[in-house]
Amino acid sequence: MSEILVLVDHVDGNVRKTTNELLTIARRLGEPSAVFIGSGDAPVDALKKFGAEKIYAVDDAEIKGYLVAPKAEVLAQLAEKTSPGAILIPSSAEGKEIAGRLAIKIESGVITDAVDVTEGGVTTQSVFAGSFTVQAKVSKGTPIITVKPNSAAPEEVAGAGAVEQFAATVSDGAKTAQIVASQPRQSTGRPELTEAAIVVSGGRGTGGNFEPVENLADALGAAVGASRAAVDSGWKPHTFQVGQTGKTVSPQLYVANGISGAIQHRAGMQTSKTIVAVNKDEEAPIFELVDFGVVGDLHTVLPALTEEINKRK
Amino acid sequence: MNIVVLVKHVPDATADRRFESDNTVDRVGVDGLLSELDEYAVEQALQIKEKADGDVTVTALSIGPEQAVDAVRKALQMGADQGVIVTDDAIAGSDAVATSLVLAEAIKKIGSPDLVVTGMASTDAGTSLVPAMLAERLGLPQVTFASVVETQGDQIRAKRDGDAATEVIGATLPVLLSVTDQTGEARYPSFKGIMAAKKKPMETYSLSDLGVDAGQVGLDAAWTAVEETTARPPRTAGEIVTDEDGSGATALAEFLASKKFI
Ligand SMILES: Cc1cc2nc3c(=O)[nH]c(=O)nc-3n(C[C@H](O)[C@H](O)[C@H](O)COP(=O)(O)OP(=O)(O)OC[C@H]3O[C@@H](n4cnc5c(N)ncnc54)[C@H](O)[C@@H]3O)c2cc1C
Ligand SMILES: Nc1ncnc2c1ncn2[C@@H]1O[C@H](COP(=O)(O)O)[C@@H](O)[C@H]1O
């Protein structure tokens, strides 16, 4: 069985859930080899737990100060060495860019934003604002596939987790876009927006008061999202934005509050399993999508709902 | 300084909605328009030109069918100096790999740019692959997903809101820059701009002008193959209740409980 390279998504060595999902998918295609680009020891136990047979540890001393290009070089060199059956990369902005550069380097086809990958390497994508699904396959070279969060239920299977240090050579040409400053995102203490099972969002209708939205989110153990109108008004940072130019989320439950449901917002949430909305305008287009909707003022409905939920707990 | 700004002509998904307020331009065909996210790229290119000391030429470049000339023309109306469109029947169905190949050759033919500016994603395919692929092909520093852009002399600084951190990216020109919709509203073409655009140079290249073999592009040359497309069943509207004296919250709680969310 051929190796399947999985680029590990981590923050300071803490492996993110998306990696477990990618390792799970990799097992359908071959033998998962985790590629850990970072400082210090590789998080062997975390990677073994979800089936990593091998772990390529790449020291990031020469990599972390530069945007995207060095990581694409590392993967190209590993691909050369291991002739993998496929390369799986998390579908973040950076992940997709790494995939794009890698595709040119190793002359291989790339598929982005897969929500599923089958044994034969057939991917499923959701396109045109979630109104179509597409099945596709890489037809040239080593399939490079970026996979969205929540695309598989992570399965725990012990892997050998054999660590191999990989000394990549990073060219000067890859060290031209420098990260001159970096401010880590502050943890909200809530689930990650793209990974959460429940997302509670607020829009212009909050009038800038997100408290009812946040309290409901906490009662449900949910992540908080926002429309672009709310972000543009400065009520929430851009990292909260759901939609075409923000995050795409596909949770079990999406609760839209004071959000009209513009096509660009829908593009980021339309594939949620269950959709609920609270909006005071019964004509709001968001109501075309919902499984359950309440026509009402979010400032009264949400606190009452939160109280009801807390009572039932 | 030479700036090339990439403008893609895309199918119009939301014509009446997005363009109701756009009274200044009445040239959008029914079937396509300049990708909204590329307007931000044009705007940033123009702002950099306006701030620069020396002479700056902004060239708008598009690959697409003949109608794609509309996208280039809009960029000229906004203030770009000249336009180039690459059109060739063989290009139809190209994937990001082939598109980036043709764009790279076209950029080389236009001249050696100090700055190539693109949108963060096209509004149709939306893969965000083309900018990274172009940086790779042209060997340019990649400064992408910029939400704030500053240039000074041959230095560029950009803010990038990543998943894990907000970063400042720095590079020395020449650079490939992609910008997000956070960079600030794009200008509307003025009447003067629309008139002036008619006299601006516009060139059309074919694949042979670029020395690209037709066998390298198009659907058959794509490195990925779509096997099936399925329309998702439209969501059917569910139950809608009107809140009266707290009844809305109770009904919603019942619904959430029935779905085991609480
Ligand atoms: C290129 C481009 C990209 C874009 N990308 C995105 C994107 O990624 N994400 C995104 O969200 N948008 C995006 N947009 C913007 C999008 O078109 C809409 O403008 C935006 O989604 C509107 O946000 P909203 O629903 O919060 O505000 P509005 O459309 O103003 O709607 C507010 C809603 O709140 C309701 N309301 C008001 N008060 C109350 C109350 N007290 N209680 C209950 N309901 C109330 C109103 O009835 C109304 O329906 C993009 C636009 C463009 C052009
Ligand atoms: N056919 C094209 N013509 C001109 N520019 C393009 C074309 N395709 C992509 N681009 C540019 O690349 C960006 C990203 O596109 P994409 O990779 O398709 O999401 C767009 O915003 C455009 O600026």
Side-chain angles (χ1 to χ4, degrees):
Chain A
M1 256 207 296
S2 56
E3 283 182 51
I4 307 299
L5 298 182
V6 170
L7 182 62
V8 174
D9 186 10
H10 69 96
V11 179
D12 298 329
N14 293 313
V15 176
R16 291 177 62 177
K17 185 170 141 244
T18 45
T19 304
N20 308 341
E21 295 164 4
L22 262 62
L23 288 169
T24 301
I25 289 173
R27 282 218 323 281
R28 298 176 196 159
L29 309 172
E31 281 190 359
S33 293
V35 181
F36 175 79
I37 303 177
S39 317
D41 291 334
V44 179
D45 291 340
L47 297 171
K48 259 163 87 164
K49 195 164 148 191
F50 290 91
E53 296 296 336
K54 273 191 197 157
I55 299 167
Y56 295 105
V58 184
D59 182 42
D60 70 354
E62 271 201 272
I63 293 169
K64 65 176 172 219
Y66 306 94
L67 200 63
V68 179
K71 288 186 181 164
E73 280 193 351
V74 170
L75 286 179
Q77 288 162 22
L78 266 171
E80 164 96 1
K81 174 187 148 94
T82 60
S83 311
I87 303 174
L88 305 183
I89 299 174
S91 221
S92 57
E94 185 195 32
K96 287 195 268 185
E97 294 187 317
I98 294 170
R101 299 190 73 126
L102 181 62
I104 303 295
K105 281 181 194 297
I106 66 171
E107 301 200 349
S108 293
V110 55
I111 288 175
T112 54
D113 291 330
V115 293
D116 194 17
V117 186
T118 63
E119 228 162 285
V122 176
T123 62
T124 304
Q125 290 157 285
S126 174
V127 300
F128 291 154
S131 57
F132 272 81
T133 44
V134 170
Q135 254 86 40
K137 225 181 142 161
V138 168
S139 50
K140 163 151 181 169
T142 305
I144 302 168
I145 303 170
T146 78
V147 183
K148 287 186 88 77
N150 289 337
S151 294
E155 289 164 22
E156 286 191 26
V157 171
V163 180
E164 194 176 309
Q165 301 296 330
F166 182 74
T169 37
V170 180
S171 73
D172 287 343
K175 295 195 271 191
T176 50
Q178 206 184 340
I179 302 171
V180 290
S182 176
Q183 183 153 39
R185 222 174 92 203
Q186 272 172 352
S187 166
T188 56
R190 299 195 178 91
E192 200 52 50
L193 187 53
T194 51
E195 296 173 2
I198 303 181
V199 174
V200 180
S201 285
R204 202 193 308 274
T206 61
N209 177 10
F210 258 70
E211 209 179 291
V213 171
E214 288 170 347
N215 290 344
L216 175 61
D218 291 341
L220 290 166
V224 172
S227 71
R228 189 172 95 168
V231 170
D232 284 351
S233 304
W235 301 336
K236 284 284 159 199
H238 183 251
T239 44
F240 284 70
Q241 185 177 315
V242 172
Q244 186 191 2
T245 54
K247 302 259 159 49
T248 316
V249 299
S250 197
Q252 297 298 318
L253 172 65
Y254 187 85
V255 189
N257 305 291
I259 293 177
S260 61
I263 179 124
Q264 296 91 350
H265 188 78
R266 291 179 180 209
M269 45 67 75
Q270 189 137 265
T271 58
S272 305
K273 307 287 173 303
T274 301
I275 298 175
V276 166
V278 179
N279 194 304
K280 69 178 183 192
D281 174 12
E282 62 179 336
E283 305 281 324
I286 191 78
F287 284 131
E288 292 160 18
L289 301 183
V290 299
D291 297 287
F292 196 91
V294 177
V295 180
D297 189 332
L298 70 91
H299 296 288
T300 52
V301 174
L302 298 194
L305 176 62
T306 306
E307 201 185 304
E308 182 71 30
I309 293 169
N310 287 334
K311 223 168 33 196
R312 290 182 188 223
K313 271 197 210 158
Chain B
M1 178 151 100
N2 281 313
I3 302 178
V4 176
V5 59
L6 300 189
V7 289
K8 187 175 181 186
H9 185 255
V10 295
D12 187 352
T14 56
D16 37 0
R17 276 186 148 214
R18 286 196 198 171
F19 282 85
E20 254 172 11
S21 58
D22 188 356
N23 298 324
T24 47
V25 215
D26 187 29
R27 47 123 223 123
V28 176
V30 276
D31 50 355
L33 68 142
L34 167 59
S35 172
E36 220 155 359
L37 292 173
D38 289 349
E39 291 185 12
Y40 297 92
V42 176
E43 177 62 35
Q44 288 306 306
L46 295 175
Q47 286 189 19
I48 291 168
K49 174 184 163 109
E50 285 155 7
K51 270 181 292 191
D53 293 333
D55 261 3
V56 179
T57 305
V58 176
T59 307
L61 166 64
S62 188
I63 301 186
E66 266 162 42
Q67 304 90 285
V69 77
D70 288 350
V72 178
R73 198 164 290 136
K74 170 118 188 227
L76 297 183
Q77 292 171 344
M78 289 171 72
D81 301 297
Q82 54 185 43
V84 173
I85 163 155
V86 184
T87 188
D88 201 306
D89 289 345
I91 294 174
S94 291
D95 59 0
V97 172
T99 302
S100 66
L101 172 74
V102 179
L103 284 170
E105 292 308 319
I107 289 167
K108 285 183 207 160
K109 190 173 162 73
I110 290 167
S112 46
D114 301 283
L115 203 52
V116 177
V117 192
T118 81
M120 65 186 282
S122 50
T123 51
D124 51 350
T127 62
S128 298
L129 285 174
V130 167
M133 287 178 164
L134 262 182
E136 177 72 30
R137 289 189 186 278
L138 296 169
L140 292 178
Q142 172 192 334
V143 180
T144 44
F145 289 102
S147 58
V148 180
V149 181
E150 276 167 37
T151 49
Q152 195 165 56
D154 66 349
Q155 296 300 305
I156 187 160
R157 285 266 184 288
K159 186 170 159 226
R160 172 175 162 119
D161 296 311
D163 278 345
T166 295
E167 296 165 328
V168 178
I169 312 299
T172 307
L173 301 184
V175 157
L176 180 129
L177 170 71
S178 87
V179 303
T180 76
D181 60 335
Q182 298 284 300
T183 46
E185 280 306 305
R187 67 194 66 187
Y188 290 127
S190 62
F191 180 70
K192 222 174 110 205
I194 293 170
M195 297 316 286
K198 295 185 175 152
K199 297 194 202 78
K200 290 177 177 171
M202 175 90 83
E203 274 202 80
T204 305
Y205 299 159
S206 65
L207 284 180
S208 57
D209 292 331
L210 299 177
V212 175
D213 186 79
Q216 287 178 280
V217 299
L219 194 57
D220 293 341
W223 294 358
T224 50
V226 171
E227 308 209 316
E228 213 182 300
T229 65
T230 332
R232 272 176 85 89
R235 279 194 175 263
T236 43
E239 193 185 346
I240 316 270
V241 300
T242 301
D243 179 50
E244 271 155 36
D245 303 329
S247 62
T250 318
L252 185 45
E254 281 303 326
F255 173 80
L256 294 178
S258 76
K259 295 275 182 181
K260 308 255 181 304
F261 290 117
I262 50 179

